[in-house]
């Protein structure tokens, strides 16, 4: 608790504080990670779900995407105490923004306001031709009714899940904003991320180079642990609520 209180003090005293979250924050809500021992890519072929397959065979891509999405989101996951603690910190003015690698939309459900989605959001679908967007539920309903691929209402182009696929670049605006936030932060909190996937993995290093206090909360070791001011090797659903409570003391 002494280290929690010390980290909370640094977070409370920071004029600009940012959080980066990874799969470990959503896992307690029942959202499986893509990588690791229990990862989605152990059950699905990444090549069948990359952007080149979408371009070549959009209908076949969607048939496989329906199965993957069912494993990811059809259990209707809800925010867990880690999401809620981060939203509370934001509401209290202790966290200026949240950058996430997750595509499940749970941070917004919990009430976090400025959420920078580096890898997109699986709750949306977008037309690659004209940019028209619709809810993923709408696109999925069309696909399940036999409309493979589901089509854009504006130009009849093939809709794509608005999540970043292998072979796609991250959304430029989101990446630029995330880098700005990291460079300007005085405290940078990493939660539930292995920090092995670029460019997200470089954000805490950018923050540390700018003099920010670096706080890492993760069950496993990360490549940035040696540079962190605080490392909490624990469950995010326990550590983040404890940090929130300490910030409010």
């Amino acid at each position: 608790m002494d280290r929690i209180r010390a980290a909370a003090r640094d977070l409370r005293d920071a004029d600009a504080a940012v959080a980066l979250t990874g799969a470990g924050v959503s896992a307690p809500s029942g959202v499986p990670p893509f990588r690791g021992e229990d990862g989605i890519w152990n059950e699905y072929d990444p090549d069948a779900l990359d952007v080149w397959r979408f371009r070549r065979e959009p209908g076949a891509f969607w048939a496989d995407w329906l199965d993957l999405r069912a494993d990811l989101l059809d259990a209707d996951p809800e925010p867990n105490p880690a999401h809620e603690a981060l939203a509370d910190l934001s509401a209290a003015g202790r966290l200026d923004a949240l950058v996430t690698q997750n595509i499940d939309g749970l941070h917004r459900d919990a009430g976090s306001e400025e959420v920078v989605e580096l890898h997109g959001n699986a709750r949306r679908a977008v037309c690659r031709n004209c940019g028209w967007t619709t809810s993923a539920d709408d696109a999925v309903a069309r696909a399940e009714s036999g409309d493979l691929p589901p089509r854009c209402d504006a130009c009849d182009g093939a809709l794509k899940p608005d999540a970043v696929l292998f072979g796609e670049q991250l959304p430029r605006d989101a990446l630029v904003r995330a880098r700005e936030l990291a460079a300007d932060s005085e405290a940078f909190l990493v939660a539930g991320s292995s920090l092995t996937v670029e460019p997200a993995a470089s954000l805490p290093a950018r923050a540390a180079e700018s003099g920010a206090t670096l706080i890492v909360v993760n069950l496993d070791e990360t490549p940035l642990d040696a540079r962190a001011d605080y490392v909490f090797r624990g469950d995010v659903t326990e550590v983040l609520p404890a940090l929130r409570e300490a910030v409010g003391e």
Side-chain angles (χ1 to χ4, degrees):
M1 283 305 299
D2 286 344
R3 289 195 307 122
I4 286 284
R5 291 191 182 96
R9 182 183 62 246
D10 286 346
L11 190 61
R12 186 170 55 241
D13 292 345
D15 287 336
V18 179
L20 167 69
T21 66
V25 168
S26 289
S29 293
V31 180
F34 280 91
R35 295 171 176 79
E37 184 177 346
D38 300 319
I40 285 288
W41 295 136
N42 293 327
E43 300 181 30
Y44 294 90
D45 178 7
D47 292 340
L49 290 155
D50 63 23
V51 70
W52 299 288
R53 173 94 184 290
F54 172 80
R55 290 168 179 167
R56 292 193 313 271
E57 305 173 293
F61 168 93
W62 265 96
D64 289 334
W65 177 261
L66 290 177
D67 291 337
L68 182 146
R69 187 179 184 277
D71 281 344
L72 276 177
L73 298 176
D74 273 7
D76 292 326
E78 296 183 354
N80 62 57
H83 295 107
E84 292 164 358
L86 292 168
D88 289 345
L89 287 169
S90 176
R94 303 302 184 186
L95 197 61
D96 295 279
L98 192 151
V99 180
T100 187
Q101 298 170 271
N102 300 333
I103 62 173
D104 49 51
L106 291 177
H107 284 300
R108 295 189 188 277
D109 287 350
S112 290
E113 294 188 1
E114 184 172 359
V115 180
V116 180
E117 296 171 322
L118 284 177
H119 294 171
N121 190 318
R123 294 187 181 184
R124 298 187 300 262
V126 62
C127 176
R128 286 183 57 88
N129 290 341
C130 72
W132 183 79
T133 61
T134 187
S135 73
D137 287 343
D138 172 59
V140 166
R142 300 183 193 194
E144 289 178 339
S145 69
D147 187 6
L148 291 171
R151 294 285 177 178
C152 170
D153 284 356
C155 74
D156 202 42
L159 294 176
K160 186 190 82 70
D162 199 19
V164 176
L165 306 178
F166 282 118
E168 285 191 298
Q169 293 185 345
L170 269 60
R172 176 174 170 76
D173 289 348
L175 183 56
V176 168
R177 179 61 177 150
R179 286 172 170 164
E180 288 174 349
L181 288 166
D184 294 341
S185 66
E186 293 185 5
F188 195 95
L189 170 64
V190 178
S193 176
S194 63
L195 297 179
T196 56
V197 178
E198 292 291 356
S202 65
L203 295 174
R206 177 183 290 253
E209 288 166 2
S210 298
T213 297
L214 182 58
I215 305 167
V216 175
V217 183
N218 199 51
L219 282 173
D220 302 315
E221 294 182 3
T222 80
L224 266 295
D225 286 358
R227 298 185 64 180
D229 298 277
Y230 303 96
V231 176
F232 298 100
R233 190 77 61 241
D235 189 328
V236 292
T237 63
E238 297 175 358
V239 177
L240 293 181
L243 188 62
R244 173 195 59 201
E245 295 304 315
V247 167
E249 290 179 355

